[in-house]
Amino acid sequence: MSLNRVLSVGAEFPAFSKKAVVSLEKDQEFRTITEQEHRENDQWLVMFWWPKDFTFVCPTEIAEFNKNYDEFRDRDAQLIGASTDSEFVHVAWRRDHEDLRGLRFPMLADTSKSLAEDLGILSEEEKVAYRVTYIVDPQGIIRWVSVNDLNVGRNVAEVLRVLDALQTDELCPCNWKKGEATLTA
């Protein structure tokens, strides 16, 4: 039985400084990313984790987040994908997989697994990250977390719906969608 203690709503997102793949252009592939970037730019952070590169479910999710990249940008959200694979594995996977070549967001490499450990999202057996999505406000506070088991992909439309709801800073009823009325207390 797993004893994970997933960092959750109301907690401050952990500090990190990690290499990420940001391009396939020679000598432009890598950049260091920190948790401070979204705060300094007064942006929300949406960070989603997948278990392993070169697998089957993961690229479907990554490609769907990429298709919706402008939706996140329009909501002043920095989008970051992450796993515990190295930046070199990330760049090789991007070059190898047609759906990943044109990614517009960074692929964070948590090779030390320190951030995944701080977040409490490592599977007990393989020590790979679960399919976890965090929405973090511009002050660095976790406002939403969703955890899927290793074999079940997530719904990007739901991530956007929740981001919209959080950004209203109002009471949003069940199944609320952007543009619908919110509740008054």
Side-chain angles (χ1 to χ4, degrees), residues 5 12-13 23 25 29 34 38 53 56-57 59 76 84 113 118 121 124 129 133 145 147 155 159 169 173:
R5 304 236 190 273
E12 187 171 354
F13 199 83
S23 172
E25 235 178 280
E29 298 96 337
T34 73
H38 81 98
D53 292 2
F56 303 102
V57 176
D76 290 323
T84 57
K113 301 183 182 188
D118 288 348
I121 63 171
E124 191 69 24
T133 309
V145 60
V147 182
N155 184 324
V159 178
D169 205 25

Side-chain angles (χ1 to χ4, degrees), residues 47-175:
M47 182 181 280
F48 70 99
W49 291 77
W50 63 87
K52 294 179 181 179
D53 292 2
F54 290 98
T55 56
F56 303 102
V57 176
C58 301
T60 67
E61 295 182 305
I62 297 166
E64 188 64 23
F65 273 102
N66 196 51
K67 285 180 195 167
N68 286 278
Y69 175 80
D70 288 334
E71 296 293 327
F72 288 99
R73 193 180 65 194
D74 290 348
R75 289 161 174 81
D76 290 323
Q78 179 186 19
L79 182 62
I80 300 174
S83 83
T84 57
D85 289 299
S86 77
E87 65 272 25
F88 303 108
V89 174
H90 285 339
V91 80
W93 192 30
R94 281 192 57 184
R95 286 187 178 121
D96 181 70
H97 199 293
E98 185 176 330
D99 292 341
L100 304 181
R101 288 187 194 127
L103 292 185
R104 298 188 286 166
F105 57 84
M107 294 175 88
L108 189 106
D110 185 23
T111 51
S112 69
K113 301 183 182 188
S114 60
L115 181 54
E117 284 174 353
D118 288 348
L119 293 169
I121 63 171
L122 291 176
S123 69
E124 191 69 24
E125 268 185 38
E126 291 189 70
K127 300 293 185 206
V128 296
Y130 284 107
R131 293 182 197 286
V132 181
T133 309
Y134 283 95
I135 298 178
V136 181
D137 70 19
Q139 291 73 46
I141 304 302
I142 298 168
R143 300 287 302 276
W144 184 73
V145 60
S146 174
V147 182
N148 290 21
D149 206 346
L150 298 175
N151 62 339
V152 178
R154 70 202 102 202
N155 184 324
V156 176
E158 175 64 1
V159 178
L160 285 165
R161 187 194 75 80
V162 172
L163 179 59
D164 286 337
L166 289 169
Q167 289 181 338
T168 69
D169 205 25
E170 297 180 24
L171 300 173
C172 297
C174 179
N175 298 325

